[in-house]
Amino acid sequence: QKEVEQDPGPLSVPEGAIVSLNCTYSNSAFQYFMWYRQYSRKGPELLMYTYSSGNKEDGRFTAQVDKSSKYISLFIRDSQPSDSATYLCATRGDTNAGKSTFGDGTTLTVKP
Amino acid sequence: GAGVSQSPSNKVTEKGKDVELRCDPISGHTALYWYRQSLGQGLEFLIYFQGNSAPDKSGLPSDRFSAERTGGSVSTLTIQRTQQEDSAVYLCASSSRSASPLHFGNGTRLTVT
């Protein structure tokens, strides 16, 4: 079993929709939670970085972490065609020197 | 400032040849990571550097893979006697310290024929 499991998608939504992307993880030592966005033939770029449980909002993006259920989510409000990309969740503990463990990614298409 | 730079962006090689992939991290970033991304897959950790030392090499898939970092900056990932299963995108990332999030380059797309 992978340490981080991500809803595989692909996901296709109309412009303006609310998008929910989800991951689960198995290692209770994970403390840091990240979401990256990856466009085709580009490297992942950091979208959200959170520590422990709770919500973090940045513009149209909200990251949510529930450590009790080992569940992490990314919500995108008022989705735009430019949001079309692959979204990767990632987690990391305090003791493994920064090594991050990634999900396999969810590919999102936002149709105009 | 400049981001993480990787070269070459694309590399096609014949099975059995050696290849070297280069990574220039963001200036001042002490931590450097190599990951591999196969088609439609997530990121597979290969190796982590703190300065010039590699405290975690646990992800290197075989002894054909090696990496070094010099001057606390540039890193080279070497794959000897390449195999078709080595075909993937090799991503380098750096961070200002090991506790910080990663900044990725655009990767080297390796194809072994």
Side-chain angles (χ1 to χ4, degrees):
Chain A
Q1 184 185 4
K2 292 184 177 181
E3 286 191 294
V4 179
E5 298 276 3
Q6 184 166 359
D7 289 352
L11 195 58
S12 181
V13 301
E15 183 174 356
I18 296 173
V19 176
S20 172
L21 303 167
N22 306 293
C23 292
T24 58
Y25 63 95
S26 58
N27 190 339
S28 58
F30 289 144
Q31 297 286 346
Y32 296 87
F33 305 92
M34 290 75 72
W35 284 95
Y36 288 84
R37 177 174 64 194
Q38 186 175 25
Y39 292 113
S40 181
R41 295 188 171 265
K42 297 290 188 182
E45 59 176 319
L46 181 69
L47 272 180
M48 302 290 279
Y49 181 64
T50 58
Y51 175 77
S52 197
S53 284
N55 293 355
K56 183 175 182 179
E57 186 173 322
D58 184 0
R60 296 184 295 110
F61 298 89
T62 300
Q64 193 172 80
V65 177
D66 182 347
K67 290 191 67 181
S68 63
S69 59
K70 298 188 178 69
Y71 199 84
I72 54 180
S73 299
L74 178 71
F75 298 96
I76 308 174
R77 292 184 300 280
D78 187 26
S79 56
Q80 302 295 309
S82 58
D83 295 329
S84 297
T86 296
Y87 290 79
L88 298 156
C89 62
T91 67
R92 173 171 75 74
D94 274 332
T95 59
N96 55 357
K99 168 188 168 183
S100 298
T101 302
F102 287 79
D104 286 348
T106 301
T107 298
L108 170 69
T109 301
V110 181
K111 296 185 175 180
Chain B
V4 177
S5 178
Q6 292 188 246
S7 60
S9 55
N10 287 281
K11 177 70 176 179
V12 180
T13 190
E14 292 180 352
K15 178 182 172 181
K17 300 283 189 183
D18 297 352
V19 294
E20 285 190 352
L21 313 179
R22 176 187 170 104
C23 173
D24 281 275
I26 293 172
S27 179
H29 279 195
T30 58
L32 186 146
Y33 306 79
W34 285 97
Y35 283 82
R36 179 168 71 175
Q37 187 174 33
S38 300
L39 187 63
Q41 300 295 309
L43 275 65
E44 175 190 6
F45 169 78
L46 297 178
I47 187 169
Y48 154 65
F49 287 93
Q50 181 59 43
N52 292 335
S53 301
D56 189 351
K57 306 178 182 180
S58 63
L60 294 178
S62 75
D63 59 7
R64 296 186 297 104
F65 288 73
S66 63
E68 65 174 10
R69 189 179 185 194
T70 56
S73 180
V74 172
S75 177
T76 303
L77 177 69
T78 301
I79 309 173
Q80 296 179 310
R81 305 180 303 281
T82 52
Q83 303 294 311
Q84 287 187 328
E85 60 263 29
D86 299 334
S87 296
V89 177
Y90 289 82
L91 290 160
C92 176
S94 68
S95 64
S96 57
R97 59 184 194 276
S98 62
S100 300
L102 307 182
H103 298 265
F104 284 88
N106 285 329
T108 293
R109 185 173 300 271
L110 176 66
T111 303
V112 182
T113 62

